[in-house]
Amino acid sequence: MIKNKMLLYFISLVLLLISVVLIIGGGWLISLGGSFYYLLCGAAIMASTVLLVKHNAWALILYAGMLGLSTIWSVWEVGLNWWQLVPRLWVWFVIGLVLLSPWLRQTIIKPCVASWLLLVSIIFTAIVGIASLFTSPNEINGKIENTDLISVNPSQAAGEEWIAYGGTNAGLHYSRLHQIVPENIHKLKEVWHIQTGDLPTADDPVELTNENTPLKVNDKLYTCTAHGWVLALEPETGKTLWKYDPAISNGGTGTFKGWAHMTCRGLSYYDSDRYLKQSPNNAIARKVKSSPCPRRIYLPTADARLIALNADNGERCNSFGKDGQVDLTQGIGPFTPGGYYSTSPALVTKQLVIVGGHVTDDESTNEPSGVVRAFDIHDGHLVWNWDSGNPEHTSPIAKGQHYTRNSPNVWSITSVDEALGLVYLPLGNQTPDQYGADRTAATEKYAAGLVALDIATGKVAWNYQFTHHDLWDMDVPAQPILVDLKTQNGIEPAVIQPTKQGSIYILNRKTGEPIVPIDEVKVPQGAVKGDWTSPTQARSRLNLTPPPLQERDMWGATPFDQLSCRIRFKSLRYEGQYTPPSLQGSLIYPGNVGVMNWGGVAVDPVRKIIFASPNYMAFTSQLVPQSEVQKDETQASEGAGLQPNRGAPYAVIIKPFLSIMGFPCQAPSWGNVAGINLADNRITWMHPNGTSRDNTPIIPLPFPVGVPAMGGPMTTAGGIAFLSGTLDQYLRAYDITNGRELWSVRLPAGGQATPMTFLGKDGRQYVVLVVGGHGSFGTKMGDYIIAYALPKSKYEVFRGKIH
């Protein structure tokens, strides 16, 4: 009996502490205009605790009422959503089981009606929880069955090879191969893997990333690593044929700590024979063919070089630039180590290799230019330069001159329509991202939009801005997709542009006019003193933008951190999307990681489907007067932590919107897969993507919670969409018509890259993925390249026909 009483007092003390936390926190939430639930729940638990100490059966009755009403309140707020119901109720459910335990009922409180009432309440909560497992309130279930199909333009879609980052320079991430289909994909197996040997070291930046999409061309598979190594592999076996190490330099220091990031998203390939077949009078192609390097790989390095390699043997092409390389720091001016280089592959055309550059966000107001430069494909001399800070002057600048400091840059992948003679640039913004009072007229015109340049001269043909006076780091992050679409006006040349804010803009790529209507919507006003806010923002009617957050959307592992998230939500400035950054601290949703990032989307042009993997993570943005910034505080990492913004009146603190326990404050799903029907520009299906098995703060469960992904998708004529990139370590395959997961395979590290596919000499369709993780995304690091194919004895023989 004494032991039971001690346990009773211990339980009562725990319940008393819980009630105090809920009453204090609930009162705070009410003072901010929030829900009364937590205060009332705390009061009920405190009253139950007092009665429990007195051995009064009303303790169980009162607790039963609190549990039952909590269940009803939870369903009223979020419906039968398992991932949102469980954090609200599981603690109260477990406490109810403890109160119903035999020793407590029989020794302290004699069996009575109160026990039965509590049991009924527990069963009711359990039934609601079980019922929620079989519902999917946040999903869209549909199927895309377009019968009015069109033929794919072969210049836009990959075939037996994968000749550019997006399959082709049109960027569809689509292959006409169709050997792997929903009926046989369950037989897909790993056929080879290699380890490159390029692993992180203690001297690397935090954001060391493996985001490369290999090329398959010239009977070889070409890939690059985070440190810029280039490997040529035998496509069917993974055997290394040659390797090139650019020996990235950091001023002789031997360390890359303090760099924003280090990555190589891709390589570029040029074949003089290919271009001579297309254009027999191409003088530059004839020069390349007569050189020792008729087939070339172009490598951008993290120390700002563009290197041309012989695609056959990996040796430098000495006819290009100086000793096979062009120094991209020319005309750029000073920058901190790692503060300027091209993270994305160069764009190769008939006569030019075109390259932009990454500029570190939010470091200062005196950063390198965002200039885009076009070099002669043969000898590397500068043909034209387009500087968004000085857009009219595209002739090569003179030696000793400098491009406009701090002008908006092009850090992502570019596309080209050589028939139209236009190159398409996804523009970033002028740093700092959260303060724009000092931006130039050119910045206000071109930043955070899509620009089409004349490929011969670099002159602007047209531009369309997607975010006006960007204060949220909503630069255009993904490769523009060039595809011919069947519309009411017939076949139109289209460009599809995914964006961080969730809109998918579809424009006529010849004129820049919208094909899908774009509305200028009113947005929150009130930037900090001295700055201003655009009264409207451009929102495409085709978008994956989430609805505004509400208090009921706050989440956490327990009612306590959920309460803390509600308090934070009510304490921050939030008026919906495009809430300006503030001294108070603003909630930015979608956050600067974006709904879509560099991975973009994939398009099936035959079935007229966009396959997307939208992310939904909120961030906070708080401006800090420079007078309050401590001298020893430095930029934690690009896009997170304190961003110094030296030269601007404010630094900014950017953080993921997390609870006190490190859980996301917003409810899942945090990452989905979605199918968009281009016949009517509607989202036909959407499902959570990924589980909590790896690298999430919740208990590993097999259920699809929907986790963020950093990587891109690929689609095929077989009706399959492949996607990795999630926080859990899987490569998955989906039925593109309905989003049903068809196949998945466990990866040895994070798969933060975009898969590709090709036809091997053995007649098999291979799927290849770089598996190396992402430092700041938090996935497991590695150095793998893995290939999958159908078993030789079971795959369908390929007979040379592709869709």
Side-chain angles (χ1 to χ4, degrees):
M1 179 66 71
I2 294 175
K3 184 177 180 180
N4 288 346
K5 283 188 176 182
M6 292 297 293
L7 287 171
L8 172 66
Y9 294 147
F10 174 76
I11 292 171
S12 299
L13 178 61
V14 171
L15 292 177
L16 180 63
L17 292 174
I18 288 174
S19 65
V20 169
V21 170
L22 292 175
I23 289 171
I24 294 174
W28 187 359
L29 182 60
I30 291 171
S31 72
L32 297 171
S35 172
F36 280 73
Y37 165 77
Y38 294 91
L39 177 63
L40 296 176
C41 180
I45 293 175
M46 180 172 283
S48 295
T49 303
V50 172
L51 292 171
L52 186 64
V53 173
K54 294 181 177 181
H55 299 186
N56 191 320
W58 275 94
L60 302 188
I61 296 174
L62 186 57
Y63 192 87
M66 186 279 294
L67 178 58
L69 290 173
S70 292
T71 304
I72 293 170
W73 170 79
S74 298
V75 173
W76 172 76
E77 275 211 323
V78 300
L80 292 175
N81 186 320
W82 192 85
W83 287 105
Q84 292 202 53
L85 285 175
V86 169
R88 285 168 163 82
L89 296 173
W90 76 267
V91 173
W92 313 146
F93 182 82
V94 170
I95 291 173
L97 291 176
V98 172
L99 294 177
L100 202 62
S101 59
W103 67 265
L104 184 60
R105 289 189 298 108
Q106 295 175 6
T107 307
I108 308 300
I109 301 174
K110 302 300 180 183
C112 60
V113 174
S115 300
W116 289 105
L117 288 174
L118 179 56
L119 178 60
V120 169
S121 186
I122 290 173
I123 292 173
F124 170 63
T125 301
I127 290 172
V128 169
I130 292 170
S132 69
L133 284 171
F134 300 97
T135 61
S136 51
N138 294 331
E139 293 191 52
I140 301 172
N141 292 289
K143 186 172 184 178
I144 302 174
E145 296 181 294
N146 291 327
T147 56
D148 184 19
L149 306 180
I150 63 174
S151 298
V152 61
N153 183 335
S155 69
Q156 296 171 351
E160 297 181 6
E161 298 182 313
W162 194 270
I163 64 173
Y165 173 85
T168 69
N169 280 337
L172 274 69
H173 285 282
Y174 171 82
S175 170
R176 291 173 284 153
L177 299 179
H178 57 90
Q179 187 181 108
I180 302 169
V181 293
E183 291 74 22
N184 65 17
I185 195 170
H186 64 281
K187 302 174 185 177
L188 199 63
K189 302 291 184 183
E190 178 184 320
V191 292
W192 61 257
H193 78 262
I194 68 162
Q195 290 182 260
T196 66
D198 189 1
L199 287 166
T201 70
D203 296 323
D204 286 329
V206 172
E207 192 168 320
L208 187 77
T209 68
N210 293 275
E211 300 173 348
N212 175 255
T213 298
L215 307 180
K216 194 278 180 179
V217 67
N218 193 33
D219 291 330
K220 296 176 182 63
L221 192 70
Y222 298 100
T223 188
C224 61
T225 70
H227 290 95
W229 302 355
V230 179
L231 282 76
L233 310 177
E234 187 173 74
E236 296 79 15
T237 66
K239 176 185 175 182
T240 300
L241 302 175
W242 58 257
K243 173 184 170 182
Y244 174 79
D245 181 357
I248 295 172
S249 170
N250 188 20
T253 64
T255 178
F256 301 102
K257 286 184 177 179
W259 286 37
H261 49 66
M262 183 177 287
T263 192
C264 177
R265 287 196 185 92
L267 304 164
S268 309
Y269 178 76
Y270 182 88
D271 187 334
S272 59
D273 285 339
R274 185 185 301 257
Y275 281 108
L276 283 171
K277 288 178 183 178
Q278 297 174 2
S279 178
N281 296 321
N282 189 330
I284 293 181
R286 288 201 303 271
K287 286 183 181 179
V288 176
K289 184 173 177 61
S290 64
S291 77
C293 292
R295 290 165 294 279
R296 300 182 175 197
I297 292 292
Y298 290 92
L299 165 71
T301 66
D303 53 1
R305 291 175 286 160
L306 181 63
I307 300 175
L309 301 175
N310 187 317
D312 296 331
N313 56 30
E315 296 178 357
R316 284 198 193 183
C317 299
N318 290 327
S319 62
F320 183 79
K322 183 179 180 181
D323 299 326
Q325 64 183 21
V326 169
D327 181 3
L328 296 178
T329 67
Q330 294 298 310
I332 293 296
F335 57 89
T336 56
Y340 175 83
Y341 70 99
S342 184
T343 57
S344 296
L347 179 69
V348 165
T349 72
K350 291 179 183 178
Q351 303 189 50
L352 302 173
V353 53
I354 302 170
V355 64
H358 144 81
V359 176
T360 302
D361 285 343
D362 306 324
E363 185 169 327
S364 77
T365 59
N366 185 27
E367 293 301 306
S369 171
V371 64
V372 174
R373 287 170 284 186
F375 299 97
D376 181 279
I377 200 80
H378 170 59
D379 61 21
H381 79 266
L382 184 62
V383 176
W384 55 256
N385 37 232
W386 184 73
D387 178 358
S388 57
N390 189 17
E392 300 301 323
H393 297 83
T394 62
S395 297
I397 63 170
K399 187 175 181 179
Q401 291 185 335
H402 289 82
Y403 299 107
T404 308
R405 296 289 287 174
N406 220 39
S407 57
N409 64 320
V410 178
W411 60 266
S412 191
I413 304 97
T414 55
S415 301
V416 65
D417 184 331
E418 296 198 66
L420 286 179
L422 295 176
V423 58
Y424 301 89
L425 311 179
L427 262 288
N429 46 37
Q430 180 177 325
T431 186
D433 294 319
Q434 292 77 24
Y435 184 80
D438 302 323
R439 292 176 184 169
T440 66
T443 296
E444 296 298 342
K445 179 177 181 179
Y446 295 112
L450 184 63
V451 176
L453 301 183
D454 183 289
I455 196 170
T457 65
K459 296 287 187 180
V460 175
W462 57 260
N463 78 287
Y464 203 109
Q465 188 172 68
F466 303 135
T467 306
H468 313 312
H469 195 68
D470 182 10
L471 300 176
W472 307 272
D473 190 18
M474 291 296 158
D475 46 10
V476 183
Q479 182 178 19
I481 296 171
L482 314 184
V483 62
D484 298 332
L485 291 181
K486 189 172 185 179
T487 70
Q488 293 179 348
N489 300 320
I491 303 295
E492 287 194 66
V495 54
I496 299 174
Q497 184 60 68
T499 60
K500 287 184 178 182
Q501 62 266 41
S503 280
I504 298 177
Y505 300 92
I506 303 183
L507 311 175
N508 183 300
R509 68 175 180 269
K510 185 175 182 180
T511 66
E513 293 297 317
I515 294 175
V516 174
I518 299 171
D519 301 313
E520 288 289 335
V521 298
K522 293 183 179 180
V523 295
Q525 298 297 290
V528 291
K529 185 177 180 180
D531 204 351
W532 56 278
T533 309
S534 174
T536 63
Q537 293 292 349
R539 180 173 295 159
S540 172
R541 293 185 189 174
L542 173 54
N543 67 78
L544 292 159
T545 305
L549 290 173
Q550 302 180 57
E551 184 192 332
R552 68 186 181 192
D553 297 317
M554 295 304 100
W555 197 74
T558 68
F560 312 112
D561 55 332
Q562 188 180 87
L563 172 58
S564 76
C565 285
R566 288 180 181 243
I567 291 171
R568 287 199 67 206
F569 177 74
K570 287 292 186 178
S571 301
L572 291 165
R573 181 181 177 186
Y574 180 65
E575 300 158 38
Q577 190 177 20
Y578 300 111
T579 298
S582 63
L583 296 169
Q584 170 189 350
S586 296
L587 183 60
I588 310 300
Y589 181 67
N592 63 316
V593 170
V595 175
M596 286 158 282
N597 208 289
W598 57 264
V601 300
V603 175
D604 183 329
V606 177
R607 296 177 179 84
K608 294 187 286 191
I609 299 173
I610 293 177
F611 181 92
S613 55
N615 292 321
Y616 298 111
M617 288 295 292
F619 280 68
T620 62
S621 178
Q622 182 178 10
L623 297 175
V624 181
Q626 292 288 1
S627 60
E628 299 178 15
V629 177
Q630 301 297 318
K631 290 183 179 180
D632 60 346
E633 289 186 284
T634 57
Q635 179 170 314
S637 65
E638 188 179 32
L642 177 74
Q643 311 296 296
N645 290 351
R646 287 181 289 272
Y650 302 98
V652 63
I653 299 173
I654 302 173
K655 293 181 179 179
F657 185 38
L658 304 178
S659 75
I660 55 176
M661 295 178 66
F663 292 78
C665 267
Q666 72 199 81
S669 173
W670 306 298
N672 294 339
V673 286
I676 297 169
N677 189 346
L678 283 169
D680 57 15
N681 297 313
R682 294 181 183 274
I683 302 169
T684 304
W685 56 261
M686 184 183 294
H687 310 300
N689 179 39
T691 69
S692 62
R693 174 167 178 175
D694 301 297
N695 214 31
T696 57
I698 53 181
I699 299 172
L701 292 170
F703 308 120
V705 60
V707 296
M710 187 63 72
M714 173 191 70
T715 60
T716 71
I720 307 293
F722 290 91
L723 178 69
S724 57
T726 51
L727 284 171
D728 64 343
Q729 295 165 199
Y730 285 92
L731 171 62
R732 293 182 170 89
Y734 295 90
D735 185 323
I736 196 171
T737 64
N738 57 24
R740 180 171 62 93
E741 185 176 315
L742 301 170
W743 173 86
S744 66
V745 64
R746 184 77 173 150
L747 300 174
Q752 276 63 59
T754 303
M756 54 80 73
T757 188
F758 65 88
L759 185 70
K761 288 182 178 179
D762 57 2
R764 287 197 288 177
Q765 180 184 350
Y766 288 77
V767 174
V768 176
L769 178 68
V770 170
V771 182
H774 191 292
S776 60
F777 200 55
T779 52
K780 183 180 177 181
M781 302 299 287
D783 62 339
Y784 299 89
I785 302 172
I786 307 177
Y788 305 88
L790 297 174
K792 285 185 177 180
S793 60
K794 296 180 180 179
Y795 74 92
E796 300 169 8
V797 176
F798 188 85
R799 302 192 183 279
K801 294 181 180 180
I802 54 179
H803 290 176

